Amino acid sequence: MIDRNLLQTEAAAFDVKTDETALERIDCYSEELVRVNKYLNLTAITEPTEVLYKHWLDSLTVLRYVKPKSGAKCMDVGTGAGFPGAALLIARPDLQMTLLDSTRKKLTFIAETLDKIGLSAEILHQRAEEAGRMPAYREQFDLVTARAVAALRELCEYCLPFVKIGGTFAAMKSVRSDEEIVQAQKAMHLLGGQIESVETCTLPYAGERTLILIKKCSQTPSKYPRPSAKIAKQPLI
Ligand code: SAM
């Protein structure tokens, strides 16, 4: 289904390697995504070229800017049908990946599909703000990612509690919004994070993409994350 040569060339252009096994796995995952989507509503993106650019290449851009060590513990928050988390795992099967979402049907799809392509990840059916209070997940991860989950200010409260000191939270956004970044500064500071860099690139079909890299500099105070209603109603400003 996927144009493997195109994917390999485009990924290589931003210094991400995809070997034959990875390409085979991406192809199989894409076919499953489109097949299961007919009855499960996993994604609005199903046209092959769009799947290639908007799901796979967009997800893989994270590896252009962040180079996790072999065996690094990674978590994708609000992973949906597995983006960017499953894509990162396919490109870097040496990572220890946790895929978190509050919607069980999407996680079932991911678990079955990863099994089919011979990969495994921890599948976590939880709300981020609940898992972030659990000792097994709090400040345990070298890299936490999230794409299309919430505004940056809320996203920081969902994601920064998972990141260990010295680790990175990579927030994937579309068009760069300096206003959104400014609005999230206070939350970042309160939660122990600090902007490391803001990277932008343009992808065919996907347009401008922004990656906000936030370094975890100090421990997240125990009162965060707050319950979801509070996060929504009383943003950290
Ligand atoms: N990251 C995927 C992508 O970019 O294709 C999915 C994006 S989808 C728009 C947002 C996902 O975040 C949904 O699957 C939803 O269930 C999940 N989500 C939203 N809020 C969440 C929370 N507080 N805890 C866990 N999952 C959440």
Side-chain angles (χ1 to χ4, degrees), residues 78-80 83 100-103 106 126-129 147-148 158:
T79 192
F83 300 101
L100 176 147
D101 205 286
S102 54
T103 308
K106 295 182 181 177
Q126 280 288 347
R127 291 198 63 85
E129 59 277 27
R147 182 180 83 160
Y158 290 148

Side-chain angles (χ1 to χ4, degrees), residues 12-230:
F14 49 79
D15 197 26
V16 175
K17 289 196 189 83
T18 43
D19 61 14
E20 280 310 310
T21 308
L23 293 169
E24 177 77 39
R25 284 172 164 154
I26 287 174
D27 207 17
C28 178
Y29 198 108
S30 306
E31 275 181 11
E32 284 300 294
L33 181 70
V34 171
R35 185 182 69 78
V36 174
N37 198 54
K38 290 190 178 122
Y39 56 90
L40 261 196
N41 192 21
L42 297 165
T43 176
I45 300 161
T46 54
E47 191 278 315
T49 311
E50 291 206 348
V51 171
L52 188 153
Y53 281 103
K54 292 188 179 173
H55 279 327
W56 297 107
L57 283 167
D58 185 31
S59 297
L60 294 177
T61 53
V62 174
L63 296 175
R64 176 182 191 171
Y65 304 105
V66 187
K67 311 275 184 203
K69 287 195 184 127
S70 182
K73 286 190 76 178
C74 304
M75 175 187 266
D76 187 28
V77 172
T79 192
F83 300 101
L88 299 178
L89 181 64
I90 289 175
R92 288 281 312 271
D94 58 295
L95 299 176
Q96 291 180 64
M97 182 62 71
T98 298
L99 300 166
L100 176 147
D101 205 286
S102 54
T103 308
R104 190 183 288 281
K105 67 172 186 178
K106 295 182 181 177
L107 295 176
T108 303
F109 161 76
I110 297 175
E112 288 175 359
T113 308
L114 287 182
D115 192 44
K116 228 171 224 162
I117 61 175
L119 287 173
S120 64
E122 180 181 15
I123 305 291
L124 189 55
H125 179 225
Q126 280 288 347
R127 291 198 63 85
E129 59 277 27
E130 286 162 16
R133 303 191 72 85
M134 296 174 183
Y137 299 106
R138 197 173 172 89
E139 302 196 315
Q140 298 295 316
F141 294 89
D142 300 287
L143 173 64
V144 174
T145 52
R147 182 180 83 160
V149 176
L152 187 61
R153 190 164 53 191
E154 283 100 82
L155 205 52
C156 282
E157 191 161 351
Y158 290 148
C159 296
L160 275 170
F162 293 119
V163 185
K164 58 165 82 150
I165 293 175
T168 301
F169 166 40
M172 299 175 69
K173 294 276 168 186
S174 52
V175 177
R176 178 176 174 146
S177 165
D178 289 336
E179 194 187 332
E180 187 180 2
I181 296 171
V182 169
Q183 279 179 353
Q185 285 288 354
K186 177 82 184 292
M188 250 176 255
H189 177 71
L190 286 174
L191 295 157
Q194 203 173 303
I195 293 251
E196 196 176 9
S197 65
V198 181
E199 311 288 352
T200 51
C201 64
T202 304
L203 275 179
Y205 298 90
E208 190 179 310
R209 311 294 303 156
T210 304
L211 189 67
I212 304 163
L213 298 176
I214 300 169
K215 193 101 195 150
K216 182 79 175 265
C217 299
S218 56
Q219 244 181 0
T220 300
S222 58
K223 62 179 170 184
Y224 304 115
R226 300 165 297 158
S228 52
K230 265 211 161 149

